[in-house]
Amino acid sequence: MNTARNHPDPVAVGTLLRHVLELLDGDVAKVYEEQGLAEYRPRFSPVVRALLAEGPLSVRDLAAAVGVTHSAASQTAAQMARVGLVTHTPDPLDARRRLVALTPKARALLPQIEAEWEATVAAMAGLDAELSMPLGELLREVAEAVGRRPFRERVAAAYRPPRGGPKP
């Protein structure tokens, strides 16, 4: 068995983060599938929660509410629209903007979605109990540190060009 495939190089942090996300999201997606919600993706949940809390939002406002880029929010909203969970309608206050809103289909699924959210929160609490610190807390710390000093700056400060290589 190729263990490198199942255990990414711990120095390759980006790979490790993607691997952990795939493990967590993949299993949540399996739960949705087992519940008859094969078209529902874990990445939809923050959008559903934001739209429930705030009502219809522009993609820009949705991105801010969820904490992702405009592009990521737009892509997620488009995926959700394809499976009938959200609509895009003109903003009555600004015709240049479109508002994302939950559909009746999405609202009908809320009891199942909310039950899964509660189960995920409980499962995460159990996982956190096995870790040296809660994963969410660690990830918030990382985001704050990178916000204070972008990783690009950290890489540039540590970079040492090879001898005899091209000069900038």
Side-chain angles (χ1 to χ4, degrees):
M1 179 169 117
N2 182 353
T3 57
R5 188 174 185 195
N6 295 324
H7 302 284
D9 180 352
V11 177
V13 175
T15 301
L16 188 55
L17 283 170
R18 281 186 291 280
H19 180 67
V20 168
L21 182 60
E22 287 169 4
L23 291 172
L24 297 176
D25 272 1
D27 281 346
V28 171
K30 287 176 189 171
V31 170
Y32 282 125
E33 189 173 333
E34 290 164 0
Q35 299 300 318
L37 299 173
E39 62 192 15
Y40 192 87
R41 300 286 173 258
R43 71 185 297 179
F44 296 171
S45 291
V47 172
V48 170
R49 286 195 299 271
L51 294 174
L52 279 174
E54 301 186 36
L57 294 169
S58 68
V59 172
R60 172 170 281 120
D61 292 340
L62 184 59
V66 174
V68 297
T69 64
H70 183 278
S71 176
S74 179
Q75 290 173 12
T76 300
Q79 287 177 330
M80 293 176 75
R82 281 193 292 278
V83 296
L85 298 175
V86 298
T87 58
H88 291 85
T89 57
D91 183 337
L93 302 176
D94 183 348
R96 297 168 296 177
R97 293 184 344 157
R98 299 183 57 78
L99 297 177
V100 179
L102 293 175
T103 63
K105 175 182 177 179
R107 291 186 182 282
L109 295 175
L110 284 176
Q112 282 179 280
I113 294 168
E114 288 170 344
E116 187 285 324
W117 290 343
E118 290 174 20
T120 297
V121 168
M124 197 66 227
L127 178 59
D128 281 344
E130 296 178 37
L131 304 176
S132 60
M133 76 181 299
L135 182 58
E137 186 178 316
L138 176 61
L139 293 174
R140 274 188 295 282
E141 280 188 37
V142 170
E144 289 169 5
V146 172
R148 286 189 302 272
R149 184 174 179 214
F151 199 62
R152 164 186 45 76
E153 289 179 15
R154 296 167 190 265
V155 171
Y159 182 73
R160 303 290 177 252
R163 291 187 177 187
K167 298 194 178 171

